[in-house]
């Protein structure tokens, strides 16, 4: 897990997921397993018995429900975007967009 002041370095898959979370208009094809993988790298994610996941990124803690479908819904994208932005990942997205993403 990274410190609250400095986001961790992400691999290509995690960068792609992060970019899709911050995409406008909101992407509708972000899979839960991709989000779960990203959250495990940028913070911690723990499954609870009630089917919810405790997610901690930086100083922020949220409880998320796993999507009933393969993809997460728009509200989950909004919640993730807010949490990741508070941890500084909006700056990472801006940097990635400025330099372009490699194929």
């Amino acid at each position: 897990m990274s410190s609250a002041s400095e986001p961790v370095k992400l691999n290509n898959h995690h960068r792609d997921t992060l970019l899709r979370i911050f995409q406008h208009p909101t992407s509708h094809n972000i899979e839960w397993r991709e989000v779960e993988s990203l959250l495990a790298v940028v913070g911690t994610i723990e499954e609870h018995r009630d089917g919810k996941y405790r997610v901690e990124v930086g100083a922020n803690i949220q409880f998320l429900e796993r999507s009933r479908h393969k993809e997460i819904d728009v509200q989950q994208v909004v919640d993730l975007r807010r949490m990741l932005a508070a941890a500084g990942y909006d700056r990472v997205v801006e940097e990635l967009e400025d330099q372009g993403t490699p194929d």
Side-chain angles (χ1 to χ4, degrees), residues 51-93:
K52 293 187 179 182
Y53 289 78
R54 181 186 183 275
V55 177
E56 184 174 351
V57 178
N60 296 300
I61 298 173
Q62 285 192 24
F63 287 86
L64 302 175
E65 282 191 52
R66 181 180 180 140
S67 176
R68 292 186 179 126
H69 306 285
K70 188 175 183 180
E71 291 87 15
I72 62 174
D73 64 30
V74 173
Q75 185 59 51
Q76 289 171 312
V77 174
V78 171
D79 294 342
L80 287 165
R81 189 182 294 160
R82 183 176 40 247
M83 178 179 237
L84 291 165
Y89 284 94
D90 54 341
R91 293 187 308 268
V92 173
V93 169

Side-chain angles (χ1 to χ4, degrees), residues 7-59:
V8 296
K9 187 169 175 109
L10 304 171
N11 70 26
N12 289 338
H13 296 289
H14 296 137
R15 283 192 299 266
D16 181 55
T17 302
L18 184 66
L19 287 168
R20 285 187 286 137
I21 289 171
F22 280 88
Q23 178 180 329
H24 290 282
T26 302
S27 178
H28 292 276
N29 62 345
I30 305 170
E31 294 184 20
W32 171 256
R33 66 176 180 77
E34 296 169 333
V35 170
E36 191 173 10
S37 177
L38 173 65
L39 293 173
V41 170
V42 302
T44 59
I45 180 167
E46 301 169 353
E47 185 174 6
H48 286 248
R49 287 184 296 186
D50 61 1
K52 293 187 179 182
Y53 289 78
R54 181 186 183 275
V55 177
E56 184 174 351
V57 178

